Amino acid sequence: MEEIIKKRIKQVLKGDQNAFGEIVELYKDKVFQVCFRMLGNRHEAEDMAQEAFVRAYVNIQSFHINMKFSTWLYRIATNLCIDRIRKKKPDFYLDAEVAGTEGLNMYSQVAADTVLPEDELESLELQETIQAEILKLPEKYRSPIVLKYIEELSLKEISEILDLPVGTVKTRIHRGREALRNQLRHL
Amino acid sequence: MQCPDEIIDLMHQYLDEDIKTEDEISLREHLRSCQDCQVHFHELKKAVALVQSTSSMAAPAGFTQRVTANLPKEKRKAGAER
């Protein structure tokens, strides 16, 4: 995987935009997923994920070829999401969809013309609830929790993405887990 | 009953898969005798399992085309001289 990526990056550096398209294809789902879990809104998540790739392209010269590309890309994406969360004002939600319906729309798209059986509906509701609880986490706990449990990254990789010492990442994950324990224990 | 904070720390070390063998043994011993900590540990593991159970997601259709359409046309020509 990393070998293919490195080859593509060299092509991008020579001005080949199609090679960058292939990189986007390989990472779009992961990047979109991080953004969605961080922001909870499909539209915003797509904006941020798009922006992350455009920035990666514009700044590709600053990517060190010895680094893991996904780490660098995750760093760009999480920083964008963190900035967005910090800038968010309450009135941002005025024209947004009702909280909690977002993911449901998305999941129902998949099976648009089939009626969902009851247990699937239940599991959709459960998914909505869990996502809502993730969004209640303060941003500094949310990022490492999403990277660890949604993207299944190692503590070391998370520390590189968030530019924090491993010890700090651990502490934040511990606090995030305690917060989630309180929020999810009654489910 | 109030258990020492170290027990909670050990639970987190266990969940990080970064716990010394002797610490894991003392955690297990404590859990055997302490109902409150058993519940706490169970709730932590449940929270993790629930977060992990969320479905993986795919980027919206047309995502890549939209990215490439938004790339700056003139790339700075570093080493692309003719």
Side-chain angles (χ1 to χ4, degrees):
Chain A
M1 177 74 158
E2 282 296 312
E3 280 315 302
I4 298 171
I5 290 299
K6 273 166 193 165
K7 204 171 148 195
R8 295 287 171 266
I9 290 168
K10 283 175 189 158
Q11 292 169 325
V12 174
L13 284 166
K14 286 178 187 151
D16 181 353
Q17 285 202 344
N18 292 333
F20 191 74
E22 290 181 44
I23 295 176
V24 177
E25 272 300 307
L26 287 169
Y27 289 107
K28 60 178 184 175
D29 293 343
K30 282 174 181 293
V31 172
F32 176 74
Q33 164 142 292
V34 169
C35 295
F36 180 79
R37 296 294 173 199
M38 291 284 287
L39 300 166
N41 175 301
R42 192 169 167 78
H43 187 73
E44 265 189 283
E46 176 165 9
D47 279 355
M48 289 301 104
Q50 293 260 338
E51 178 67 18
F53 281 110
V54 171
R55 288 197 187 191
Y57 178 79
V58 172
N59 296 301
I60 196 89
Q61 267 114 348
S62 70
F63 171 70
H64 295 285
I65 208 80
N66 298 327
M67 197 182 178
K68 204 171 163 191
F69 181 75
S70 57
T71 303
W72 188 68
L73 187 58
Y74 275 130
R75 184 187 289 175
I76 296 173
T78 47
N79 281 338
L80 281 168
C81 291
I82 290 168
D83 282 351
R84 172 56 69 98
I85 292 164
R86 288 178 184 164
K87 279 183 198 147
K88 237 182 206 181
K89 301 210 175 79
D91 64 357
F92 185 84
Y93 288 108
L94 280 180
D95 60 350
E97 281 156 89
V98 179
T101 62
E102 181 71 22
L104 201 57
N105 294 342
M106 166 184 55
Y107 289 115
S108 9
Q109 270 178 7
V110 180
D113 39 19
T114 57
V115 180
L116 289 172
E118 195 136 318
D119 54 341
E120 266 185 60
L121 270 179
E122 256 174 47
S123 111
L124 290 183
E125 276 170 33
L126 182 62
Q127 296 253 333
E128 287 303 308
T129 307
I130 296 165
Q131 174 63 29
E133 297 303 334
I134 293 172
L135 290 176
K136 283 184 197 162
L137 292 175
E139 165 271 304
K140 66 176 184 171
Y141 303 152
R142 200 187 310 165
S143 330
I145 288 281
V146 166
L147 293 171
K148 171 136 180 87
Y149 289 118
I150 308 281
E151 298 294 319
E152 298 177 317
L153 301 178
S154 69
L155 293 172
K156 186 176 167 292
E157 200 166 352
I158 296 169
S159 98
E160 286 170 20
I161 292 167
L162 298 176
D163 200 17
L164 292 168
V166 173
T168 308
V169 171
K170 276 190 190 173
T171 307
R172 291 187 180 184
I173 288 178
H174 295 187
R175 296 200 177 136
R177 269 197 301 247
E178 286 296 334
L180 287 168
R181 176 185 78 87
N182 276 315
Q183 293 164 220
L184 296 169
R185 66 211 274 196
H186 299 302
L187 278 189
Chain B
M1 174 180 154
Q2 192 60 52
C3 290
D5 286 347
E6 293 91 87
I7 298 296
I8 306 288
D9 281 344
L10 291 183
M11 292 181 195
H12 285 287
Q13 288 171 26
Y14 178 88
L15 293 172
D16 285 342
E17 292 168 46
D18 186 20
I19 186 168
K20 292 191 201 110
T21 314
E22 66 259 37
D23 288 339
E24 189 173 337
I25 292 167
S26 55
L27 174 63
R28 281 179 197 283
E29 270 170 16
H30 180 84
L31 288 175
R32 225 172 281 137
S33 61
C34 176
Q35 179 110 43
D36 286 355
C37 284
Q38 270 175 36
V39 170
H40 193 112
F41 192 44
H42 172 75
E43 287 171 349
L44 279 173
K45 288 197 286 188
K46 178 175 155 185
V48 166
L50 284 170
V51 171
Q52 284 175 322
S53 77
T54 55
S55 319
S56 53
M57 301 174 56
F63 183 93
T64 303
Q65 289 84 333
R66 284 193 290 282
V67 172
T68 46
N70 282 324
L71 296 180
K73 297 279 176 294
E74 280 295 312
K75 233 183 106 50
R76 256 169 281 137
K77 285 182 181 143
E81 66 278 276
R82 10 181 354 173

